[in-house]
Structures are given as C-alpha cells and as structure tokens.
Amino acid sequence: GQQVMQIPQYQHVQEGEDFTTYCNSSTTLSNIQWYKQRPGGHPVFLIQLVKSGEVKKQKRLTFQFGEAKKNSSLHITATQTTDVGTYFCAGHRWGGGADGLTFGKGTHLIIQP
Amino acid sequence: GAGVSQSPSNKVTEKGKDVELRCDPISGHTALYWYRQRLGQGLEFLIYFQGNSAPDKSGLPSDRFSAERTGESVSTLTIQRTQQEDSAVYLCASSKRVGDNEQFFGPGTRLTVL
C-alpha cells in the first residue's frame, strides 16, 4: 500500500533558527496536505498543494510540492516558540477517496529559547 | 457549534468492557473520518463515511471495532471487549466531501484501558 515517510522524526532548534521537514511518498500523489498539531491538541489544517512544483507561502512557512508529485517539504524561517508542535503531511493518491489519504508519522519540532 | 465535537473527552475503562465514542461533525459535511493516535505517534486511519455509508472498513484494527453513522450527522465508534493496546486518542474529522478537501479535526477522545 501507499506509504508516506517523514523526516526527521524529531528536530531540536534554537529559537530563531530555520526548520525543514520532508515528506516522501512511495506513489505519485494527486495532492498533499500539511497539518500542525500543538502539544495536547488536535491536527489543524495548514495548506494543500496540488500542482507539480507548486510553492506556497504563509508568513514564515514555505511549502513545496515536488515536480514528480511524490515529495514535499515545509520550511519555517526564524522559528518562534509558537511553532512548537508536530507537523504532519498527508498525501492523497490518484483516484483515492478517503482511504487514499495517508498521513506521515510527523516531525516533532522542539524549540529551545 | 462551529467545529467538530467529540464525547467523551476522556474515557477510562477496564479491560474487557465495551466503549462507545461519539463524533458530531460540522453541519453539512458529508464526509466523516475516524483516526487513532497513540502517544507520540502519527495518525492511523480507521474508517471513513460518505454520507451514512462506509465503503471501506479494512482500516479497522480488528472485528472488535465497528462504526456507524446516522442521518449524515453523528457517528459512533464502538470498541468491544477493550484491550490495553486500544489505549490511544481517537480523533474524528469531517470535510465537505470525500476527496481532497481540508479535514477539520475534533478534540479527540482519550481512551485509557486499564
């Protein structure tokens, strides 16, 4: 079945440093979504990428979808303590309904002030 | 309410007992999803509903797990004869339709099986 791998599993950064998490799928995706889960909270939708090579920005967050639509990345510039949490990617395979949505295991971002 | 709600927020039960978890999706959302999240882990997809039907139940971990949805609204996830490995947070999400729409998650039910 479809697998979505995320690396790294954990990332410790100093406040103000940049952070990047990578998502790789074993199959071509129709789109990819990113979610953030704060400690003790539930996942919250951040963005969806659909087009090959697409780049979207939300303030300090930059999301990219690979040309082959099998990988994606989330980059945070100048991290702040409010960025703490787990970032999940979720890939939709072609023709899949809800069962075509596969979440990665997430990257836990830990920020040291 | 404006968001997805789940009840109870916490449930502690003894091994072997049955539990029922409830999800109220956002009004008008036809798609509803159940996930399981063990401590520090990712989201494990369990089942989804398109309207009141669940086309694929293969994600349910065992035949002790079942789910239903009525009136294209409330859904219940039932776990029979609970085991300690069932301890996790059970998250419900809804979206306008099945497919590539944004999923809105509820706060989850934290299940602890003693």
Side-chain angles (χ1 to χ4, degrees):
Chain A
Q2 179 191 11
Q3 291 190 359
V4 174
M5 309 294 291
Q6 259 188 276
I7 56 170
Q9 185 177 0
Y10 293 90
Q11 183 73 60
H12 295 253
V13 300
Q14 295 282 340
E15 187 176 8
E17 291 182 339
D18 293 354
F19 159 77
T20 304
T21 173
Y22 300 90
C23 183
N24 295 288
S25 169
S26 58
T27 59
T28 302
L29 301 170
S30 61
N31 65 75
I32 195 160
Q33 300 173 3
W34 285 91
Y35 292 78
K36 176 183 178 181
Q37 184 174 25
R38 293 181 185 274
H42 57 275
V44 174
F45 177 84
L46 293 177
I47 208 161
Q48 176 173 281
L49 304 172
V50 179
K51 299 176 183 177
S52 169
E54 187 170 15
V55 178
K56 287 189 176 180
K57 293 190 175 185
Q58 290 179 350
K59 297 183 180 178
R60 295 177 295 102
L61 277 62
T62 301
F63 304 84
Q64 288 189 312
F65 201 9
E67 295 289 341
K69 301 186 75 174
K70 295 180 71 173
N71 56 73
S72 181
S73 65
L74 158 58
H75 179 82
I76 303 178
T77 303
T79 54
Q80 301 175 358
T81 55
T82 53
D83 296 326
V84 164
T86 303
Y87 293 85
F88 294 98
C89 63
H92 252 286
R93 66 168 185 260
W94 286 105
D99 57 349
L101 180 64
T102 303
F103 279 80
K105 293 190 181 298
T107 295
H108 302 263
L109 174 60
I110 299 110
I111 297 176
Q112 294 152 342
Chain B
V4 177
S5 60
Q6 290 185 247
S7 61
S9 55
N10 280 284
K11 177 70 177 179
V12 180
T13 190
E14 292 180 349
K15 178 181 174 181
K17 295 284 180 70
D18 297 352
V19 295
E20 192 173 274
L21 313 180
R22 176 187 169 110
C23 172
D24 283 88
I26 293 173
S27 177
H29 280 194
T30 60
L32 185 148
Y33 315 81
W34 283 98
Y35 297 89
R36 179 168 68 178
Q37 187 175 34
R38 292 198 166 97
L39 186 64
Q41 301 298 308
L43 281 74
E44 177 186 2
F45 172 76
L46 299 179
I47 193 170
Y48 81 97
F49 289 88
Q50 172 60 42
N52 291 338
S53 65
D56 182 3
K57 300 181 180 179
S58 61
L60 295 175
S62 76
D63 58 8
R64 297 185 295 105
F65 287 71
S66 63
E68 64 176 22
R69 187 181 186 195
T70 55
E72 293 198 357
S73 181
V74 172
S75 176
T76 54
L77 177 69
T78 302
I79 309 173
Q80 296 178 309
R81 305 181 303 281
T82 51
Q83 304 293 314
Q84 288 185 331
E85 64 261 27
D86 299 334
S87 296
V89 175
Y90 289 82
L91 290 159
C92 173
S94 71
S95 65
K96 290 181 182 177
R97 56 180 168 83
V98 170
D100 56 2
N101 277 107
E102 170 185 355
Q103 294 189 15
F104 295 82
F105 282 83
T109 293
R110 181 175 299 279
L111 174 65
T112 303
V113 182
L114 301 176

